[in-house]
Amino acid sequence: MHARRWWVPLIGAAVVGAGWLAAAGANAVSSAAAKGQVGAPADSGGGPPLGEDEARGRDIAFYERRVAQDSQSALDQTMLATLYVQRARATGEVSDYARAESLARRSIAQRTARNGQTFALLASTLMARHAFREARDVARGADSLWPGVATHLALLGEIELEIGDYAAADSHFSAIHFDGEQFGVAARLARWRELTGRVAAARRLLRTAATRVDRRDDLPREQVAWFHYRLGELELRAGRLDAADSALRRGLAVFPDDYRILGALARLATARREWERSIEHGDRAIAIQLDPAALGTVSEAYAALGDTARSSEYARAMTV
């Protein structure tokens, strides 16, 4: 089995960084191109349009040069941190979260005013390594500097859900004045509503959010696919297997190498007792990212087929 490294993505850590990530990137690219900067982000040099991975790689190289040349640019540090987070979410490369965390801290140290998005970015990277209490401190700092902002309240509420402080989470989620437009906020609200027994309301929020991101052409594919993944996971937990299958396959059509969706499809196949299909999806997920949950699913499928040797092989891999 080939994989990069162990990584257990949880719902909170996988949350999309909302629309500002792509918007900020697009604005920076446009600005760089307008100024005629050599090697501007995602510049194909007049050739065929770049693929998303290649474009992101060029963007990262561009901002790495800028940060090396000007270590005092808070904006460039935030842009590079954002790109690292996008790559980490697409590939499961954990080291990119550490790089993003370091850059976000430097950006905040250099500038607090008009830097609220970097606070949210830093909190997300801390959540990715399960440093929830530190992430809560960062989110509280953002909320104190910019009180009442829906994205900050939703971020704080989600972190509190991870910590288990449901009363505080309820207070922050209840304070949100949701306008229906912010799909990142919608995803966090949906999780809160699901956990508080309002599954139908959560489903409506996620369906609407997924429809909205499908219409966007300025978001990374993994971010768009993530909303379908979230909806599929909700449907799977609710036992609505056909609806889960539909949502997950829509997400996979957007981003075929999404190991989270492949892992969810493996669990869905297990729920249907389709053992060979569970193994197929699970192995595809594991080949991209070595996830203990996917290993466990494949182990279960082999056990159901009576192949105890292969089942034990996958079970042992979970403990390495």
Coordinates of all heavy atoms in Angstrom, one line a residue, residues 59-138:
D59 N 1.3 29.0 -7.9 CA 0.9 30.1 -7.0 C 1.8 30.0 -5.7 O 2.3 31.0 -5.2 CB -0.5 29.9 -6.6 CG -1.5 30.4 -7.7 OD1 -1.0 30.9 -8.8 OD2 -2.7 30.2 -7.6
I60 N 2.0 28.7 -5.2 CA 2.8 28.5 -4.0 C 4.2 29.0 -4.3 O 4.8 29.7 -3.4 CB 2.7 27.0 -3.6 CG1 1.3 26.7 -3.0 CG2 3.8 26.7 -2.6 CD1 1.1 25.3 -2.7
A61 N 4.8 28.6 -5.4 CA 6.1 29.0 -5.7 C 6.3 30.5 -5.8 O 7.2 31.1 -5.3 CB 6.6 28.3 -7.0
F62 N 5.2 31.2 -6.4 CA 5.2 32.6 -6.5 C 5.2 33.3 -5.1 O 6.0 34.2 -4.9 CB 4.0 33.0 -7.3 CG 3.8 34.5 -7.4 CD1 4.5 35.3 -8.3 CD2 2.8 35.1 -6.6 CE1 4.3 36.7 -8.4 CE2 2.6 36.5 -6.6 CZ 3.3 37.3 -7.5
Y63 N 4.3 32.8 -4.3 CA 4.2 33.5 -3.0 C 5.4 33.1 -2.0 O 5.8 33.9 -1.1 CB 2.9 33.2 -2.3 CG 1.8 34.1 -2.9 CD1 0.9 33.6 -3.8 CD2 1.7 35.4 -2.5 CE1 -0.1 34.4 -4.3 CE2 0.8 36.3 -3.1 CZ -0.1 35.7 -4.0 OH -1.1 36.6 -4.6
E64 N 6.0 31.9 -2.2 CA 7.2 31.6 -1.5 C 8.3 32.6 -1.8 O 9.0 33.0 -0.9 CB 7.6 30.2 -1.8 CG 6.7 29.1 -1.1 CD 7.1 27.7 -1.5 OE1 7.7 27.5 -2.6 OE2 6.7 26.8 -0.7
R65 N 8.4 32.9 -3.1 CA 9.4 33.9 -3.5 C 9.1 35.3 -2.9 O 10.0 36.0 -2.4 CB 9.5 34.0 -5.0 CG 10.1 32.8 -5.7 CD 10.5 33.1 -7.1 NE 9.3 33.4 -7.9 CZ 8.6 32.5 -8.6 NH1 8.9 31.2 -8.5 NH2 7.5 32.9 -9.3
R66 N 7.9 35.7 -2.9 CA 7.5 37.0 -2.4 C 7.8 37.1 -0.9 O 8.3 38.1 -0.4 CB 6.0 37.3 -2.7 CG 5.8 37.6 -4.1 CD 4.3 37.8 -4.4 NE 3.8 39.0 -3.6 CZ 3.6 40.2 -4.1 NH1 4.0 40.4 -5.4 NH2 3.1 41.2 -3.4
V67 N 7.4 36.0 -0.2 CA 7.6 36.0 1.3 C 9.1 36.0 1.6 O 9.6 36.7 2.5 CB 6.9 34.8 1.9 CG1 7.4 34.6 3.4 CG2 5.4 35.0 1.9
A68 N 9.9 35.3 0.8 CA 11.4 35.3 1.0 C 12.0 36.7 0.8 O 12.9 37.1 1.4 CB 12.0 34.3 0.1
Q69 N 11.4 37.4 -0.2 CA 11.9 38.7 -0.5 C 11.4 39.8 0.4 O 12.1 40.8 0.6 CB 11.5 39.1 -2.0 CG 12.1 38.2 -3.0 CD 11.5 38.3 -4.4 OE1 10.5 39.1 -4.6 NE2 12.0 37.6 -5.4
D70 N 10.2 39.6 1.0 CA 9.7 40.6 1.9 C 9.0 39.9 3.1 O 7.8 39.5 3.0 CB 8.7 41.5 1.2 CG 8.1 42.6 2.1 OD1 8.5 42.7 3.2 OD2 7.1 43.3 1.6
S71 N 9.8 39.7 4.1 CA 9.3 38.9 5.3 C 8.3 39.7 6.1 O 7.8 39.2 7.1 CB 10.4 38.4 6.1 OG 11.1 39.6 6.6
Q72 N 8.1 41.0 5.8 CA 7.2 41.8 6.6 C 5.8 42.0 5.9 O 4.9 42.7 6.4 CB 7.8 43.2 6.7 CG 9.1 43.2 7.4 CD 9.1 42.6 8.7 OE1 8.3 42.9 9.6 NE2 10.0 41.6 8.9
S73 N 5.5 41.3 4.8 CA 4.2 41.4 4.2 C 3.2 40.4 4.8 O 3.2 39.2 4.5 CB 4.4 41.1 2.7 OG 3.1 41.1 2.0
A74 N 2.3 41.0 5.6 CA 1.3 40.1 6.3 C 0.4 39.5 5.2 O 0.0 38.4 5.4 CB 0.5 41.0 7.3
L75 N 0.1 40.3 4.2 CA -0.9 39.7 3.2 C -0.2 38.6 2.4 O -0.9 37.6 2.2 CB -1.2 40.9 2.2 CG -2.1 40.4 1.0 CD1 -3.5 39.9 1.5 CD2 -2.4 41.6 0.1
D76 N 1.0 38.7 2.0 CA 1.6 37.6 1.3 C 1.7 36.4 2.1 O 1.6 35.2 1.7 CB 3.0 38.0 0.8 CG 3.0 39.0 -0.4 OD1 1.9 39.1 -1.0 OD2 4.0 39.6 -0.7
Q77 N 2.0 36.5 3.4 CA 2.1 35.4 4.3 C 0.7 34.7 4.4 O 0.7 33.5 4.4 CB 2.6 35.8 5.7 CG 4.1 36.2 5.7 CD 4.5 37.0 6.9 OE1 3.7 37.3 7.8 NE2 5.8 37.3 7.0
T78 N -0.3 35.5 4.5 CA -1.7 34.9 4.6 C -2.0 34.2 3.3 O -2.6 33.1 3.3 CB -2.7 36.0 4.9 OG1 -2.5 36.5 6.2 CG2 -4.1 35.4 4.8
M79 N -1.6 34.8 2.1 CA -1.9 34.1 0.9 C -1.2 32.8 0.7 O -1.8 31.8 0.3 CB -1.5 35.0 -0.3 CG -2.5 36.2 -0.5 SD -4.2 35.7 -0.8 CE -4.0 34.5 -2.1
L80 N 0.1 32.8 1.1 CA 0.8 31.5 1.1 C 0.2 30.5 2.0 O 0.1 29.3 1.7 CB 2.3 31.8 1.4 CG 3.2 30.6 1.3 CD1 3.1 29.9 -0.1 CD2 4.7 31.0 1.5
A81 N -0.1 30.9 3.2 CA -0.7 30.0 4.2 C -2.0 29.4 3.7 O -2.3 28.2 3.8 CB -1.0 30.8 5.5
T82 N -2.8 30.3 3.0 CA -4.1 29.8 2.4 C -3.8 28.7 1.4 O -4.5 27.7 1.3 CB -4.8 31.0 1.8 OG1 -5.2 32.0 2.8 CG2 -6.1 30.6 1.1
L83 N -2.9 28.9 0.5 CA -2.5 28.0 -0.5 C -2.1 26.7 0.1 O -2.4 25.6 -0.4 CB -1.5 28.5 -1.4 CG -2.0 29.7 -2.4 CD1 -0.8 30.4 -2.9 CD2 -2.9 29.1 -3.5
Y84 N -1.3 26.7 1.2 CA -0.8 25.5 1.8 C -2.0 24.7 2.4 O -2.1 23.5 2.3 CB 0.1 25.8 3.0 CG 1.5 26.2 2.5 CD1 2.3 27.1 3.2 CD2 2.2 25.5 1.5 CE1 3.6 27.4 2.8 CE2 3.5 25.8 1.1 CZ 4.2 26.8 1.8 OH 5.5 27.1 1.4
V85 N -3.0 25.5 3.0 CA -4.2 24.8 3.5 C -5.0 24.1 2.4 O -5.5 23.0 2.5 CB -5.0 25.8 4.3 CG1 -6.4 25.2 4.7 CG2 -4.3 26.2 5.6
Q86 N -5.1 24.8 1.3 CA -5.8 24.3 0.2 C -5.2 23.0 -0.3 O -5.8 22.0 -0.6 CB -5.9 25.3 -1.0 CG -6.8 26.5 -0.7 CD -6.9 27.4 -1.8 OE1 -6.1 27.3 -2.8 NE2 -7.8 28.4 -1.7
R87 N -3.8 23.0 -0.4 CA -3.1 21.8 -0.8 C -3.3 20.7 0.2 O -3.4 19.5 -0.2 CB -1.7 22.1 -1.1 CG -0.9 20.9 -1.7 CD 0.5 21.3 -2.2 NE 1.4 21.7 -1.1 CZ 2.6 22.1 -1.3 NH1 3.1 22.3 -2.5 NH2 3.4 22.4 -0.3
A88 N -3.2 21.0 1.5 CA -3.4 20.0 2.5 C -4.7 19.3 2.4 O -4.9 18.1 2.6 CB -3.1 20.6 3.9
R89 N -5.8 20.1 2.2 CA -7.1 19.6 2.1 C -7.3 18.7 0.9 O -8.1 17.8 0.9 CB -8.1 20.7 2.2 CG -8.3 21.3 3.5 CD -9.1 22.6 3.5 NE -9.3 23.1 4.9 CZ -9.7 24.3 5.2 NH1 -9.9 25.2 4.2 NH2 -9.8 24.7 6.4
A90 N -6.6 19.1 -0.2 CA -6.7 18.3 -1.4 C -5.9 17.0 -1.4 O -6.3 16.0 -2.0 CB -6.3 19.1 -2.6
T91 N -4.8 17.0 -0.6 CA -3.9 15.9 -0.7 C -3.7 15.1 0.6 O -3.2 14.0 0.6 CB -2.5 16.3 -1.2 OG1 -1.9 17.2 -0.1 CG2 -2.6 17.1 -2.5
G92 N -4.1 15.7 1.7 CA -3.9 15.1 3.0 C -2.4 15.3 3.5 O -2.0 14.6 4.5
E93 N -1.7 16.2 2.9 CA -0.3 16.4 3.3 C -0.2 17.3 4.6 O -0.4 18.5 4.6 CB 0.4 17.2 2.1 CG 1.9 17.4 2.4 CD 2.6 16.0 2.6 OE1 2.6 15.2 1.7 OE2 3.3 15.9 3.6
V94 N 0.0 16.6 5.7 CA -0.2 17.2 7.0 C 0.9 18.3 7.2 O 0.6 19.3 7.9 CB 0.0 16.1 8.1 CG1 -0.2 16.8 9.5 CG2 -1.0 15.0 7.9
S95 N 2.1 18.2 6.6 CA 3.1 19.2 6.9 C 2.7 20.5 6.3 O 3.2 21.6 6.8 CB 4.4 18.7 6.2 OG 4.2 18.6 4.8
D96 N 1.8 20.6 5.4 CA 1.3 21.9 4.9 C 0.5 22.6 5.9 O 0.5 23.9 5.9 CB 0.5 21.7 3.6 CG 1.3 21.5 2.4 OD1 2.4 22.0 2.3 OD2 0.8 21.0 1.4
Y97 N -0.1 21.9 6.8 CA -0.8 22.6 7.9 C 0.2 23.3 8.8 O -0.1 24.4 9.3 CB -1.7 21.6 8.7 CG -3.0 21.2 8.0 CD1 -3.2 19.9 7.6 CD2 -4.0 22.2 7.8 CE1 -4.4 19.6 7.0 CE2 -5.2 21.8 7.1 CZ -5.4 20.5 6.7 OH -6.5 20.1 6.1
A98 N 1.3 22.7 9.1 CA 2.3 23.3 10.0 C 2.9 24.5 9.3 O 3.1 25.5 10.0 CB 3.4 22.3 10.3
R99 N 3.1 24.4 8.0 CA 3.6 25.6 7.3 C 2.6 26.7 7.3 O 3.0 27.9 7.6 CB 3.9 25.2 5.8 CG 5.0 24.2 5.6 CD 5.3 24.0 4.2 NE 6.3 22.9 3.9 CZ 6.0 21.7 3.6 NH1 4.8 21.3 3.4 NH2 7.0 20.8 3.5
A100 N 1.4 26.4 7.1 CA 0.3 27.4 7.2 C 0.2 28.1 8.5 O 0.0 29.3 8.7 CB -1.0 26.8 6.7
E101 N 0.3 27.2 9.6 CA 0.2 27.7 10.9 C 1.3 28.8 11.2 O 1.0 29.8 11.8 CB 0.2 26.6 11.9 CG 0.1 27.1 13.4 CD 0.3 25.9 14.4 OE1 0.1 24.7 14.0 OE2 0.6 26.2 15.5
S102 N 2.5 28.4 10.9 CA 3.6 29.3 11.1 C 3.4 30.7 10.4 O 3.6 31.7 10.9 CB 4.9 28.7 10.6 OG 6.0 29.5 10.8
L103 N 3.0 30.6 9.1 CA 2.8 31.8 8.3 C 1.7 32.7 8.9 O 1.7 33.9 9.0 CB 2.5 31.5 6.9 CG 3.7 31.0 6.1 CD1 3.3 30.2 4.8 CD2 4.6 32.2 5.7
A104 N 0.6 32.0 9.3 CA -0.6 32.7 9.9 C -0.2 33.5 11.1 O -0.6 34.6 11.4 CB -1.7 31.8 10.1
R105 N 0.6 32.8 12.0 CA 1.1 33.4 13.2 C 1.9 34.7 12.9 O 1.8 35.7 13.6 CB 1.9 32.4 14.1 CG 1.0 31.3 14.7 CD 1.9 30.5 15.6 NE 1.1 29.3 16.1 CZ 0.3 29.4 17.1 NH1 0.1 30.5 17.8 NH2 -0.3 28.3 17.6
R106 N 2.8 34.5 11.9 CA 3.7 35.7 11.5 C 2.8 36.8 11.0 O 3.1 38.0 11.3 CB 4.7 35.2 10.5 CG 5.8 34.4 11.1 CD 6.6 33.6 10.0 NE 7.1 34.5 9.0 CZ 7.6 34.0 7.9 NH1 7.7 32.7 7.7 NH2 8.1 34.9 7.0
S107 N 1.8 36.5 10.2 CA 0.9 37.5 9.6 C 0.2 38.3 10.7 O 0.2 39.5 10.7 CB -0.1 36.9 8.6 OG -1.0 37.9 8.1
I108 N -0.3 37.6 11.7 CA -1.1 38.2 12.8 C -0.1 39.0 13.6 O -0.5 40.1 14.1 CB -1.8 37.1 13.6 CG1 -3.0 36.5 12.8 CG2 -2.3 37.7 14.9 CD1 -3.6 35.3 13.4
A109 N 1.1 38.6 13.9 CA 2.0 39.3 14.7 C 2.4 40.6 14.0 O 2.7 41.6 14.7 CB 3.3 38.5 14.9
Q110 N 2.3 40.7 12.7 CA 2.7 41.9 12.0 C 1.5 42.8 11.8 O 1.7 44.0 11.7 CB 3.3 41.5 10.6 CG 4.7 40.9 10.8 CD 5.2 40.2 9.5 OE1 4.4 40.2 8.5 NE2 6.3 39.6 9.5
R111 N 0.3 42.3 11.7 CA -0.9 43.1 11.5 C -2.1 42.5 12.1 O -2.4 41.3 11.8 CB -1.1 43.3 10.0 CG -2.1 44.4 9.7 CD -2.3 44.6 8.2 NE -3.0 43.5 7.6 CZ -3.2 43.4 6.3 NH1 -2.7 44.3 5.5 NH2 -4.0 42.4 5.8
T112 N -2.8 43.3 12.9 CA -4.1 42.8 13.4 C -5.3 43.4 12.7 O -6.2 42.7 12.3 CB -4.2 43.2 14.9 OG1 -3.1 42.5 15.6 CG2 -5.5 42.7 15.5
A113 N -5.2 44.7 12.4 CA -6.3 45.4 11.7 C -6.5 44.8 10.3 O -5.5 44.5 9.6 CB -5.9 46.9 11.6
R114 N -7.8 44.6 10.0 CA -8.2 44.1 8.7 C -7.5 42.8 8.4 O -7.1 42.5 7.2 CB -7.9 45.1 7.6 CG -8.6 46.4 7.7 CD -8.4 47.3 6.5 NE -7.0 47.6 6.3 CZ -6.3 48.6 7.0 NH1 -6.9 49.3 7.9 NH2 -5.0 48.8 6.7
N115 N -7.3 42.0 9.4 CA -6.7 40.7 9.2 C -7.5 39.5 9.8 O -6.9 38.5 10.2 CB -5.2 40.7 9.8 CG -4.3 39.7 9.1 OD1 -4.6 39.2 8.1 ND2 -3.1 39.5 9.7
G116 N -8.8 39.7 9.9 CA -9.6 38.8 10.5 C -9.6 37.4 9.9 O -9.7 36.4 10.5
Q117 N -9.4 37.4 8.5 CA -9.4 36.1 7.8 C -8.2 35.3 8.3 O -8.3 34.0 8.3 CB -9.4 36.3 6.3 CG -8.1 36.8 5.8 CD -8.0 38.4 5.7 OE1 -8.7 39.0 6.5 NE2 -7.2 38.9 4.8
T118 N -7.1 35.9 8.7 CA -6.0 35.1 9.1 C -6.2 34.5 10.5 O -5.7 33.4 10.7 CB -4.7 36.0 9.1 OG1 -4.6 36.8 7.9 CG2 -3.5 35.2 9.3
F119 N -6.9 35.2 11.3 CA -7.3 34.5 12.6 C -8.1 33.2 12.3 O -7.8 32.2 13.0 CB -8.2 35.5 13.4 CG -7.4 36.5 14.2 CD1 -6.9 37.7 13.6 CD2 -7.1 36.4 15.5 CE1 -6.2 38.6 14.2 CE2 -6.4 37.3 16.2 CZ -5.9 38.5 15.6
A120 N -9.1 33.3 11.4 CA -9.8 32.1 11.1 C -9.0 31.0 10.5 O -9.1 29.8 10.8 CB -11.0 32.5 10.1
L121 N -8.0 31.4 9.6 CA -7.1 30.5 9.0 C -6.3 29.8 10.1 O -6.1 28.6 10.1 CB -6.2 31.2 8.0 CG -5.3 30.3 7.2 CD1 -6.1 29.4 6.3 CD2 -4.4 31.2 6.4
L122 N -5.7 30.6 11.0 CA -4.9 30.0 12.1 C -5.7 29.0 12.9 O -5.2 27.9 13.3 CB -4.3 31.1 13.0 CG -3.5 30.7 14.2 CD1 -2.4 29.8 13.8 CD2 -3.0 31.9 15.0
A123 N -6.9 29.4 13.3 CA -7.8 28.5 14.1 C -8.0 27.2 13.3 O -8.0 26.1 13.9 CB -9.1 29.2 14.4
S124 N -8.2 27.3 12.0 CA -8.5 26.1 11.2 C -7.3 25.2 11.2 O -7.4 23.9 11.3 CB -8.9 26.4 9.8 OG -10.1 27.1 9.8
T125 N -6.1 25.7 11.1 CA -4.9 24.9 11.1 C -4.7 24.2 12.5 O -4.2 23.1 12.6 CB -3.6 25.7 10.8 OG1 -3.4 26.7 11.7 CG2 -3.8 26.3 9.4
L126 N -5.0 25.0 13.6 CA -4.9 24.4 14.9 C -5.9 23.2 15.1 O -5.6 22.2 15.7 CB -5.1 25.5 16.0 CG -4.0 26.5 16.1 CD1 -4.5 27.7 16.9 CD2 -2.8 25.9 16.7
M127 N -7.1 23.4 14.5 CA -8.1 22.4 14.6 C -7.6 21.1 13.8 O -7.9 20.0 14.2 CB -9.4 22.8 14.0 CG -10.1 23.9 14.8 SD -11.6 24.6 14.0 CE -12.7 23.2 14.2
A128 N -6.9 21.3 12.7 CA -6.4 20.2 11.9 C -5.4 19.3 12.7 O -5.4 18.1 12.4 CB -5.7 20.7 10.7
R129 N -4.8 19.9 13.7 CA -3.9 19.0 14.5 C -4.5 18.8 15.9 O -3.8 18.5 16.9 CB -2.5 19.6 14.6 CG -2.3 21.0 15.3 CD -0.8 21.3 15.3 NE -0.5 22.6 15.9 CZ -0.4 22.9 17.2 NH1 -0.6 21.9 18.1 NH2 -0.1 24.1 17.6
H130 N -5.8 19.1 16.0 CA -6.6 18.8 17.2 C -6.2 19.6 18.4 O -6.5 19.2 19.5 CB -6.5 17.3 17.6 CG -7.0 16.3 16.5 ND1 -7.3 15.0 16.8 CD2 -7.3 16.5 15.2 CE1 -7.7 14.4 15.7 NE2 -7.7 15.3 14.7
A131 N -5.6 20.8 18.2 CA -5.3 21.7 19.2 C -6.5 22.6 19.5 O -6.5 23.8 19.2 CB -4.1 22.5 18.9
F132 N -7.6 22.0 19.9 CA -8.9 22.7 20.0 C -8.9 23.9 21.0 O -9.5 24.9 20.7 CB -10.0 21.7 20.3 CG -10.2 20.7 19.2 CD1 -10.0 19.3 19.5 CD2 -10.5 21.0 17.9 CE1 -10.2 18.4 18.6 CE2 -10.6 20.0 16.9 CZ -10.5 18.7 17.3
R133 N -8.3 23.7 22.1 CA -8.4 24.8 23.1 C -7.6 26.0 22.6 O -8.0 27.1 22.9 CB -7.9 24.3 24.5 CG -8.8 23.2 25.0 CD -8.5 22.8 26.4 NE -9.4 21.7 26.8 CZ -10.7 21.8 27.2 NH1 -11.2 23.0 27.3 NH2 -11.4 20.8 27.5
E134 N -6.4 25.8 22.0 CA -5.7 26.9 21.4 C -6.5 27.5 20.3 O -6.5 28.7 20.1 CB -4.3 26.4 20.9 CG -3.3 27.5 20.6 CD -2.0 27.0 20.2 OE1 -1.7 25.7 20.3 OE2 -1.1 27.8 19.9
A135 N -7.1 26.7 19.5 CA -7.9 27.2 18.4 C -9.1 28.1 18.9 O -9.4 29.1 18.4 CB -8.5 26.1 17.6
R136 N -9.6 27.6 20.1 CA -10.7 28.4 20.7 C -10.2 29.8 21.1 O -10.9 30.8 21.0 CB -11.3 27.7 21.9 CG -12.4 28.5 22.6 CD -13.0 27.7 23.7 NE -12.1 27.3 24.7 CZ -12.4 26.6 25.8 NH1 -13.6 26.2 26.0 NH2 -11.4 26.3 26.7
D137 N -9.0 29.8 21.7 CA -8.4 31.1 22.1 C -8.2 32.1 20.9 O -8.5 33.3 21.0 CB -7.0 30.9 22.8 CG -7.2 30.2 24.1 OD1 -8.3 30.2 24.7 OD2 -6.1 29.6 24.6
V138 N -7.8 31.5 19.8 CA -7.6 32.3 18.6 C -9.0 32.8 18.1 O -9.1 34.0 17.7 CB -6.9 31.5 17.5 CG1 -6.9 32.3 16.2 CG2 -5.5 31.2 17.9

